[in-house]
């Protein structure tokens, strides 16, 4: 049995839904903890008007009884509060008459799925694409990831994230210990472990807002307490770094993934990169962790560190050049409303995706039907 999940739901549809499989029977499921993760995903300086409408909370429909997993699929749903404003536009029923304001989208945003998706699925209303391409879907992932985190916590494994760069600030990626990341205040505006850098980031967001622009950045996700031996060197699809890269890259707007110091390591000598091996009489250990906790696609007992590089959001208040797909005439790309940046949210989503990959690896290695 694998730990796996699937989601459904459109951004302005009635709800997001997800099914999680592979949760061992008897695992306590803390719904408040799931809601706390959902709350964390909604935070971050630079979010737009939509986050003022939504207060994401989960409803569990199956697979949990009296607070404990049954071992059966866990179905969950998160309501889209904004749906009340979109009932006719997003109705699943065929309508007798067109909505007064059909909110048709015909001016694709460069960088978004709008145009490529519209061409692939042969639609004249790009809303058919953008509704599912929207990062709203990540709320469902975070709920599934919160369950994975609860499974990992039963084995003493914890996952945290932080923002290490936003736009061009600071110049170099922030390097922080687990303890420094753990002591970021819950109300930190950007989930950043360096208060000065955070102020620079906030100023950059304010400037981008004034300019009608958007910003990307870099997040780092760290897992602590992992056993040696998750993943395997034996086959390409079992290499844990490959699985993690896929999971992190699948997050909306993430365009590059780095394990440990992978990017900088490519330009260094071997003697400056590889983490030398010591033994303290009880365990093997290292004094550095440039490999980010993975060697040969296998966890080596060090902290697992992965970075995700996020491009700027593609919905700009000062729109880029585009073409109307109906008239083929030059026009501004569509804009309704948008976040200036969602980098802190990407960190929370990265935690969820890493938790899901690791929960699956734990199942693979240790198996078992019940707690
Ligand atoms: C998104 C556009 C915005 C974001 C949304 C992702 O939504 P709206 O079009 O309703 O203003 O706020 O993110 C979320 C709704 C969320 O929950 O994170 C997009 O086009 O990707």
């Amino acid at each position: 049995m694998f730990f796996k999940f699937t989601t459904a739901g459109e951004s302005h549809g009635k709800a997001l839904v997800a099914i999680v499989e592979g949760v061992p029977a008897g695992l306590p499921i803390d719904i408040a903890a799931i809601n706390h993760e959902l709350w964390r995903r909604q935070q971050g300086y630079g979010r737009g008007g939509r986050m003022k409408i939504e207060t994401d909370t989960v409803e569990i429909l199956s697979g949990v009884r009296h607070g404990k997993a049954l071992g059966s699929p866990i179905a969950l749903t998160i309501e889209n509060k904004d749906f009340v404003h979109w009932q006719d536009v997003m109705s699943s029923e065929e309508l007798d008459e067109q909505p007064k304001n059909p909110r048709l989208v015909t001016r694709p945003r460069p960088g978004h799925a709008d145009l490529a998706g519209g061409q692939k699925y042969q639609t004249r209303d790009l809303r058919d694409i953008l509704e599912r391409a929207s990062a709203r879907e990540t709320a469902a992932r975070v709920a599934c990831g919160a369950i994975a985190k609860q499974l990992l916590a039963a084995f003493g494994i914890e996952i945290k994230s932080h923002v290490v760069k936003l736009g061009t600030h600071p110049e170099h990626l922030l390097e922080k210990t687990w303890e420094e990341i753990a002591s970021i205040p819950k109300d930190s505006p950007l989930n950043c472990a360096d208060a000065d850098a955070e102020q620079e980031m906030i100023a950059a967001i304010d400037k981008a807002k004034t300019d009608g622009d958007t910003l990307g950045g870099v997040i780092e996700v760290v897992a602590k307490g992992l056993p040696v031996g998750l993943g395997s060197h034996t086959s390409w699809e079992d290499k844990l770094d490959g699985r993690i890269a896929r999971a992190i890259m699948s997050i909306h707007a993430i365009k590059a993934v780095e394990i440990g110091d992978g990017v900088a390591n490519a330009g260094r000598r071997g003697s400056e990169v590889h983490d030398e091996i010591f033994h303290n009489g009880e365990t093997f250990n290292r004094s550095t962790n440039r490999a980010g906790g993975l060697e040969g696609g296998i966890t080596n007992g060090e902290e697992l560190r992965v970075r995700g590089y996020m491009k700027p959001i593609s919905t700009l208040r000062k729109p880029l050049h585009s073409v109307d797909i109906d008239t083929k005439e030059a026009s501004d790309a569509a804009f309704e409303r948008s976040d200036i940046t969602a980098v802190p949210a990407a960190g929370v989503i990265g935690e969820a995706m890493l938790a899901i990959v690791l929960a699956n690896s734990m199942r693979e290695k240790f198996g078992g039907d019940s707690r």
Side-chain angles (χ1 to χ4, degrees):
M1 172 56 93
F2 295 107
F3 188 103
K4 57 185 181 183
F5 78 105
T6 190
T7 76
E10 280 73 45
S11 181
H12 303 96
K14 192 164 190 181
L16 299 165
V17 298
I19 295 182
V20 186
E21 289 180 84
V23 181
L27 184 81
I29 300 294
D30 180 347
I31 294 174
I34 302 174
N35 287 335
H36 180 65
E37 294 297 300
L38 291 173
W39 173 84
R40 289 182 62 226
R41 194 199 69 92
Q42 289 200 269
Q43 306 312 300
Y45 192 80
R47 297 304 297 272
R50 180 73 187 274
M51 287 306 98
K52 296 192 177 78
I53 298 171
E54 305 296 340
T55 36
D56 293 337
T57 48
V58 73
E59 186 184 355
I60 298 209
L61 304 176
S62 75
V64 181
R65 185 160 176 250
H66 303 157
K68 291 206 171 107
L70 294 170
S72 50
I74 298 179
L76 56 88
T77 177
I78 300 161
E79 183 192 357
N80 285 327
K81 292 221 163 71
D82 206 14
F83 177 63
V84 290
H85 308 119
W86 294 81
Q87 290 192 55
D88 49 359
V89 173
M90 293 305 295
S91 170
S92 51
E93 312 253 329
E94 199 167 354
L95 299 175
D96 293 334
E97 52 183 274
Q98 277 297 305
K100 278 195 198 70
N101 177 5
R103 297 172 106 145
L104 219 67
V105 180
T106 59
R107 295 172 292 125
R109 292 160 292 174
H112 213 282
D114 300 348
L115 182 58
Q119 289 174 308
K120 178 175 168 67
Y121 290 96
Q122 292 289 303
T123 175
R124 292 184 58 202
D125 182 359
L126 300 177
R127 183 163 300 288
D128 291 345
I129 305 302
L130 69 90
E131 283 289 335
R132 180 65 182 159
S134 164
R136 176 84 190 134
E137 185 259 352
T138 60
R141 297 196 200 194
V142 166
C144 300
I147 294 173
K149 276 188 169 187
Q150 293 177 29
L151 174 57
L152 296 173
F155 297 93
I157 301 165
E158 280 184 82
I159 301 181
K160 295 193 183 298
S161 71
H162 62 138
V163 172
V164 295
K165 188 159 190 153
L166 205 139
T168 54
H169 300 278
E171 187 185 347
H172 300 290
L173 299 182
L174 293 170
E175 292 190 20
K176 298 290 169 187
T177 62
W178 173 269
E179 289 70 28
E180 286 170 319
I181 301 166
S183 56
I184 299 174
K186 294 224 171 344
D187 59 354
S188 158
L190 290 171
N191 192 29
C192 179
D194 182 312
D196 292 339
E198 194 168 51
Q199 285 313 309
E200 286 176 30
M201 293 172 182
I202 287 173
I205 294 169
D206 288 342
K207 176 79 172 64
K209 185 175 184 181
T210 311
D211 297 343
D213 220 324
T214 57
L215 286 173
V218 187
I219 51 117
E220 184 175 53
V221 186
V222 187
K224 189 176 156 56
L226 292 169
V228 174
L230 299 183
S232 172
H233 66 288
T234 54
S235 289
W236 74 268
E237 71 266 42
D238 296 333
K239 284 175 166 273
L240 192 56
D241 38 14
R243 290 186 183 179
I244 291 168
R246 178 187 180 189
I248 301 294
M249 186 71 106
S250 78
I251 299 169
H252 306 66
I254 298 283
K255 291 290 121 194
V257 180
E258 176 182 21
I259 308 273
D261 291 339
V263 173
N265 285 351
R268 293 176 178 148
R269 289 176 155 210
S271 56
E272 299 167 317
V273 167
H274 301 299
D275 305 304
E276 291 184 288
I277 301 168
F278 300 92
H279 198 273
N280 61 12
E282 277 182 34
T283 56
F284 293 102
N285 56 67
R286 327 282 176 126
S287 55
T288 53
N289 183 21
R290 301 181 197 106
L294 284 163
E295 287 168 306
I298 306 171
T299 53
N300 64 6
E302 300 295 318
E303 284 173 4
L304 199 158
R305 287 186 175 247
V306 54
R307 296 186 185 126
Y309 291 69
M310 188 179 198
K311 70 181 178 182
I313 283 169
S314 44
T315 313
L316 274 66
R317 189 168 53 73
K318 196 171 159 204
L320 295 173
H321 187 278
S322 188
V323 173
D324 188 297
I325 59 164
D326 270 345
T327 64
K328 312 293 185 292
E329 278 168 14
S331 68
D332 285 344
F335 177 81
E336 283 164 7
R337 66 181 171 204
S338 179
D339 304 322
I340 312 299
T341 191
V343 177
V348 179
I349 302 155
E351 291 175 36
M353 293 307 292
L354 183 62
I356 288 161
V357 173
L358 293 175
N360 184 49
S361 296
M362 289 292 286
R363 285 224 59 137
E364 218 169 28
K365 189 166 171 61
F366 301 110
D369 301 310
S370 61
R371 182 160 185 260

